[in-house]
Amino acid sequence: MRNIKSLKKAILIIILFVLLFTMLIIIGYNDFVQHRNTVIKQQQEHLLTIAKSISRSIDAFMNDKADSLSILAQNPIITKTVGMNEIEKAYSQHDEVLQTFYNKYSYEMESVFLLDRNGALIYGYPENHYLQEIDHTILNKMLENKQPFITREYESSPNQFSIDILQPVMKDNELSGILVSTINLNKLYHSLIQPIRPGKMGYAMVKNMKGVIVMHPVKEQVGLEALKDRKEKFPEYNWKELEELYRKQVEEGEGYHVYHSNWWQDNGLKWSKKINAYTTVKISDIAWIISVQMDYAEIEQPIRGTLINISFIAIIITIFLLIVSYIIFKIDKKRKALEIETKYLKELNKTWEELIKSEARLRHSQKLQTIGTLTSGIAHEFNNLLTPILGYSEILLQQISSKDSMHEDLWEINKSALRAKEIIEQILVFSRNDHVTSKVMPLRVDHIVKESTKLIKSLLPNSIEVVENISSSELVLGSSTQLQQVLLNLYTNSYHAMKAKGGILELHVEAVNINADEGDELGLSKGRYIKIEVKDTGMGMDKETLSQIFDPFFTTKETGEGTGLGLSVVHGIIKNHNGSIAVKSQINVGTVVDIYLPIVEEVLVEAKEDEKQLLQGAGDILIVDDNLGVLKMLEKGLNNFGYHVITENDGYQAMKLLDKNPTAFSVIILDFTMPNISGLEIAEYFKLKNSNAKIILVSGYIKEDIVQNHPEIFDAYMLKPIVVPELVDKIKQLQQIK
């Protein structure tokens, strides 16, 4: 009895459980159906939105192509071509214009043609394409309303439709010709419609009002009459739903429908349920149906799977929460361990990167040190050679009258030596890699330009003519050598641009006033500037090249002809002179470089003959240098200024000489680089013997820190090559110091 009651109770519980479960299933299923219908409805609206978007895109595409043809029709070459009876050679540029237009839109255009007002072909591109015969009704309509016209689609090749966009070419408000752009609808589909993929299997297609497929993702489907051909090929299928869809598309114009059909891009020909949304687009003579379809199962299956999942959620939720809690705990523990490890690896990687950078900086520093040492050694020897040239030219200039025929030659030698001296100073600045800047002074730009052109004229071929127009003699503050370097760089670039065909190199120098607006554009302050214009008639540059000309290592020259550092250096020099540089260029026209340098209000005072008298000095001078040529020149030069000079080319002999009479010399001129014993050791010995003696340290290359770290030993220092008047001035300054 108890077992029967227990059995009944168990059966009752099972029944209640089944009823409850059934009720939950029914409720869940009803919710599923409602949710499915809502989602299907939303998806249909979405597909309709896609169809409308495609319709608008096609309309915009046609308008855009018509506008492009309209602009082309206004091209003077096109209007001139269609207005001529015979195409002359002088006006045969229309083929280039049409080819350029075609190349621009070739990704969607089949061909482009130019017709006369009667529809006769003038030119077509590509030349192997043929123009579809244009109905005279269309021509007459265009003659009457003079408006663009888009033809109905036609089958231009198997499985391919095209349309023609006709644009009238007007001249004096009369139709004088017609431009025809043939649009490949397969290309249009691939670029405009095919990227739109509703779902995994879905696609969009276009057909005309007769049901002929105009655009389709499967090329073999293009040209088929969608309903008729498929019914003939597959008579075993039920096509009533597709017939109803076609009827609604033609009669209603816009809406959606659910039907069964194949996926024609799938070779398996699986009969499937689809959702379809459609709309129409009408442009000129075109009337198309835009049809977008999607697999019904792609929407329904996820919802159905959701229903099944919900059935299990109540059962496994507790277990799931426990598992999730455990997993979260383990993940958090691993995350903390991973964070510690990641932090360690980041620090290790950062340390490793810093080590690599330090090694790279060390290698770079060692390379620069090697280059600097080599450069300084060469500069030292070069300055020893320049010192006699510079010194003897000064001596001879003092001895020869300015009217003598040799005076100008000596003056040129002296100027060249001074220029070489400046170049060596720049090399030394580079080799030291420090912040020393080139010496600046007031300069006449017209003189610098004339000197540079005098040099470049002898190097340029006869095919390049140099034209100078110098109308200003104002002063700027700068380095003559660096400005010469700038000009020679620009001349060299102009030569490379014109060397193939020759041309004209024009140089203009003028004073200009820069206002606030111009200053903002050039990066300059308002004021007066010298403008140096270097203009050539070379090959020119396009905008892309022009935007990169000041980038380091960028060059347009062939391999071996340029380093790409020229204009980068030029830009840096002009910026250091507080100026600006602007470049304009045009292909096959030439290049214009404008340099702006601020004018300084100073007056250069020319050296007078009687200034020599002001430098006259007196006293006993000891010169110690291992170079006999330098010794002889300095001895002769200082003698001319009234000094009594004793020379010695051996450091130890000079020390012995000082031992005999420590106070014999008021000033000692000492070369830093001596054989067997350094200039520093000799100077220390001299100071020990006579602390009142003034020591001038000279050399082709002196490290400034040596002089700065021993102010008690060295009273002054000078770089070779020595300019004798400057040396005399330095001696007089030291003699005045007690």
Side-chain angles (χ1 to χ4, degrees):
M1 207 50 197
R2 187 176 296 176
N3 291 335
I4 295 174
K5 287 183 178 180
S6 299
L7 181 60
K8 289 181 178 179
K9 190 174 182 180
I11 293 173
L12 181 61
I13 293 172
I14 292 172
I15 292 172
L16 290 174
F17 178 80
V18 170
L19 290 174
L20 180 61
F21 184 79
T22 304
M23 185 176 64
L24 290 174
I25 292 296
I26 293 172
I27 294 172
Y29 181 77
N30 289 334
D31 289 341
F32 160 76
V33 172
Q34 291 179 6
H35 180 59
R36 181 194 62 188
N37 293 339
T38 301
V39 172
I40 295 296
K41 181 70 174 178
Q42 291 174 347
Q43 191 61 41
Q44 287 175 326
E45 292 291 344
H46 177 64
L47 292 179
L48 183 58
T49 301
I50 293 175
K52 291 179 180 179
S53 176
I54 293 174
S55 174
R56 289 191 294 269
S57 298
I58 292 175
D59 185 71
F61 173 86
M62 298 300 181
N63 290 332
D64 179 63
K65 292 299 159 286
D67 291 342
S68 300
L69 276 179
S70 176
I71 294 172
L72 180 63
Q74 298 172 26
N75 189 301
I77 295 175
I78 297 299
T79 56
K80 184 177 290 185
T81 300
V82 297
M84 297 171 58
N85 293 326
E86 294 182 0
I87 305 303
E88 299 176 359
K89 185 177 181 181
Y91 299 105
S92 64
Q93 298 175 353
H94 62 277
D95 54 352
E96 297 179 3
V97 173
L98 293 179
Q99 289 174 23
T100 301
F101 180 82
Y102 171 81
N103 291 333
K104 183 177 180 181
Y105 299 106
S106 60
Y107 64 94
E108 59 199 12
M109 185 187 299
E110 188 77 18
S111 55
V112 61
F113 302 92
L114 179 61
L115 314 178
D116 63 19
R117 68 190 310 272
N118 297 318
L121 179 65
I122 296 176
Y123 179 79
Y125 188 83
E127 295 180 359
N128 60 346
H129 284 245
Y130 299 97
L131 176 65
Q132 179 79 6
E133 183 178 355
I134 299 175
D135 193 336
H136 285 284
T137 304
I138 297 175
L139 292 175
N140 294 334
K141 188 175 182 180
M142 291 191 68
L143 285 170
E144 180 181 349
N145 59 28
K146 303 170 185 176
Q147 295 295 320
F149 187 83
I150 302 176
T151 66
R152 188 174 301 168
E153 74 283 343
Y154 58 89
E155 193 167 7
S156 53
S157 63
N159 303 119
Q160 176 182 308
F161 280 87
S162 299
I163 60 170
D164 292 329
I165 302 177
L166 283 65
Q167 173 65 42
V169 180
M170 308 301 295
K171 186 174 183 181
D172 298 328
N173 204 30
E174 292 293 332
L175 180 71
S176 59
I178 301 172
L179 277 170
V180 181
S181 173
T182 301
I183 304 299
N184 184 328
L185 295 186
N186 283 354
K187 290 184 177 181
L188 173 61
Y189 181 85
H190 288 299
S191 64
L192 194 65
I193 302 175
Q194 191 171 27
I196 301 172
R197 291 291 300 273
K200 184 178 179 181
M201 296 292 293
Y203 62 89
M205 60 177 286
V206 180
K207 56 187 178 181
N208 61 23
M209 291 300 178
K210 295 181 179 179
V212 177
I213 298 175
V214 177
M215 288 180 266
H216 195 281
V218 179
K219 187 176 180 181
E220 291 73 12
Q221 294 290 314
V222 176
L224 296 179
E225 187 173 340
L227 185 57
K228 178 182 176 182
D229 291 344
R230 289 170 181 171
K231 287 173 68 176
E232 292 176 355
K233 189 172 183 180
F234 304 101
E236 68 274 15
Y237 291 147
N238 185 352
W239 297 102
K240 290 184 178 180
E241 290 178 348
L242 194 60
E243 290 173 347
E244 176 63 15
L245 172 62
Y246 178 67
R247 183 196 65 77
K248 292 173 67 176
Q249 288 176 340
V250 174
E251 295 178 2
E252 298 177 4
E254 182 175 294
Y256 29 78
H257 188 68
V258 177
Y259 69 104
H260 288 81
S261 179
N262 282 325
W263 290 110
W264 304 108
Q265 67 269 40
D266 186 357
N267 294 329
L269 294 177
K270 183 180 178 181
W271 194 254
S272 302
K273 190 176 182 180
K274 300 180 181 180
I275 302 175
N276 179 279
Y278 53 89
T279 188
T280 56
V281 57
K282 295 183 179 180
I283 308 169
S284 193
D285 208 22
I286 292 173
W288 289 338
I289 298 170
I290 312 298
S291 177
V292 182
Q293 34 271 325
M294 181 179 180
D295 194 346
Y296 190 94
E298 289 187 37
I299 304 170
E300 187 180 49
Q301 285 177 358
I303 303 173
R304 184 176 297 166
T306 303
L307 178 63
I308 297 172
N309 292 335
I310 291 174
S311 302
F312 290 99
I313 287 176
I315 301 173
I316 64 173
I317 191 163
T318 304
I319 300 173
F320 177 77
L321 288 175
L322 290 173
I323 294 174
V324 167
S325 299
Y326 177 76
I327 291 174
I328 291 175
F329 173 77
K330 296 292 290 183
I331 289 175
D332 185 64
K333 188 176 180 180
K334 289 183 179 179
R335 180 184 59 81
K336 290 180 179 179
L338 185 61
E339 284 180 354
I340 295 173
E341 185 177 356
T342 302
K343 184 178 180 181
Y344 170 75
L345 290 175
K346 285 183 178 179
E347 291 177 355
L348 184 63
N349 187 56
K350 184 178 180 181
T351 304
W352 177 253
E353 289 178 353
E354 289 296 327
L355 181 61
I356 293 175
K357 290 179 181 178
S358 298
E359 291 179 352
R361 286 194 293 268
L362 178 61
R363 287 195 296 270
H364 183 66
S365 176
Q366 290 172 342
K367 289 179 182 178
L368 290 180
Q369 186 177 6
T370 303
I371 294 172
T373 302
L374 178 62
T375 305
S376 62
I378 296 172
H380 175 77
E381 296 301 324
F382 195 75
N383 280 331
N384 279 335
L385 297 174
L386 277 179
T387 299
I389 298 172
L390 188 60
Y392 283 120
S393 64
E394 289 173 346
I395 293 171
L396 291 173
L397 283 171
Q398 294 171 0
Q399 295 175 351
I400 296 177
S401 170
S402 61
K403 297 180 180 180
D404 194 297
S405 60
M406 293 291 292
H407 188 275
E408 184 178 354
D409 297 337
L410 289 169
W411 178 246
E412 289 296 328
I413 293 172
N414 185 261
K415 281 201 304 181
S416 297
L418 287 173
R419 181 65 50 76
K421 178 177 181 291
E422 292 179 3
I423 293 172
I424 292 300
E425 288 177 355
Q426 288 192 13
I427 292 174
L428 290 175
V429 168
F430 168 77
S431 70
R432 288 196 294 268
N433 195 25
D434 56 19
H435 301 288
V436 178
T437 57
S438 299
K439 295 179 180 178
V440 296
M441 61 184 68
L443 303 170
R444 283 185 58 173
V445 175
D446 56 331
H447 288 174
I448 295 174
V449 174
K450 288 177 181 177
E451 288 179 13
S452 63
T453 53
K454 185 177 180 181
L455 173 63
I456 200 67
K457 282 180 179 178
S458 62
L459 301 176
L460 293 176
N462 294 332
S463 60
I464 298 178
E465 178 186 356
V466 179
V467 178
E468 299 178 53
N469 182 12
I470 301 174
S471 59
S472 175
S473 59
E474 300 284 355
L475 302 177
V476 299
L477 193 64
S479 166
S480 174
T481 302
Q482 288 190 350
L483 293 180
Q484 289 277 14
Q485 182 182 356
V486 167
L487 293 172
L488 290 175
N489 259 305
L490 297 181
Y491 299 160
T492 302
N493 289 340
S494 295
Y495 159 70
H496 280 286
M498 297 187 291
K499 67 179 182 180
K501 298 182 180 180
I504 301 174
L505 175 61
E506 297 184 39
L507 308 172
H508 300 273
V509 179
E510 60 179 338
V512 296
N513 289 310
I514 301 296
N515 58 35
D517 293 338
E518 294 170 334
D520 290 341
E521 184 177 348
L522 294 169
L524 299 172
S525 302
K526 178 181 178 181
R528 298 182 67 236
Y529 291 82
I530 286 287
K531 177 183 175 183
I532 306 173
E533 182 179 275
V534 181
K535 180 179 180 181
D536 66 61
T537 58
M539 65 182 69
M541 296 174 285
D542 57 27
K543 290 183 179 180
E544 182 179 357
T545 303
L546 194 61
S547 66
Q548 303 177 73
I549 57 173
F550 294 124
D551 294 345
F553 306 109
F554 176 79
T555 179
T556 58
K557 301 182 181 71
E558 296 179 0
T559 303
E561 291 190 357
T563 63
L565 292 174
L567 285 179
S568 176
V569 172
V570 165
H571 186 266
I573 291 174
I574 297 302
K575 287 296 181 183
N576 289 338
H577 281 70
N578 297 319
S580 179
I581 181 169
V583 183
K584 295 176 289 186
S585 188
Q586 189 175 346
I587 295 292
N588 297 326
V589 175
T591 302
V592 180
V593 181
D594 292 330
I595 296 172
Y596 298 87
L597 298 171
I599 294 174
V600 294
E601 304 298 336
E602 293 186 21
V603 179
L604 289 176
V605 180
E606 300 291 339
K608 299 179 181 178
E609 291 293 330
D610 57 359
E611 285 184 354
K612 177 183 173 185
Q613 303 300 326
L614 300 176
L615 295 175
Q616 291 295 321
D620 294 323
I621 307 294
L622 173 62
I623 304 176
V624 184
D625 196 308
D626 62 322
N627 191 303
L628 295 177
V630 173
L631 283 176
K632 291 179 181 179
M633 185 280 294
L634 291 178
E635 179 182 9
K636 190 170 184 179
L638 291 177
N639 283 339
N640 287 343
F641 282 92
Y643 293 98
H644 178 247
V645 180
I646 301 298
T647 62
E648 184 58 65
N649 71 334
D650 183 271
Y652 290 109
Q653 293 299 324
M655 294 164 69
K656 291 179 181 179
L657 184 65
L658 203 64
D659 285 339
K660 296 177 181 178
N661 188 356
T663 61
F665 306 103
S666 60
V667 177
I668 300 170
I669 301 171
L670 174 65
D671 185 19
F672 179 72
T673 307
M674 296 287 293
N676 302 322
I677 185 170
S678 71
L680 178 60
E681 293 178 277
I682 299 172
E684 289 175 338
Y685 185 82
F686 285 172
K687 279 291 184 179
L688 183 64
K689 290 293 183 179
N690 182 6
S691 60
N692 293 324
K694 306 300 181 184
I695 299 179
I696 301 176
L697 184 63
V698 298
S699 182
Y701 174 67
I702 301 175
K703 293 184 177 179
E704 294 182 24
D705 57 350
I706 294 177
V707 179
Q708 294 170 356
N709 294 336
H710 301 86
E712 74 284 356
I713 297 176
F714 300 111
D715 299 283
Y717 74 93
M718 296 184 69
L719 284 173
K720 292 180 181 179
I722 301 298
V723 180
V724 175
E726 293 180 4
L727 178 60
V728 172
D729 184 58
K730 186 75 72 175
I731 292 171
K732 292 190 69 177
Q733 292 177 18
L734 294 176
Q735 287 177 331
Q736 292 174 2
I737 300 174
K738 301 299 183 180

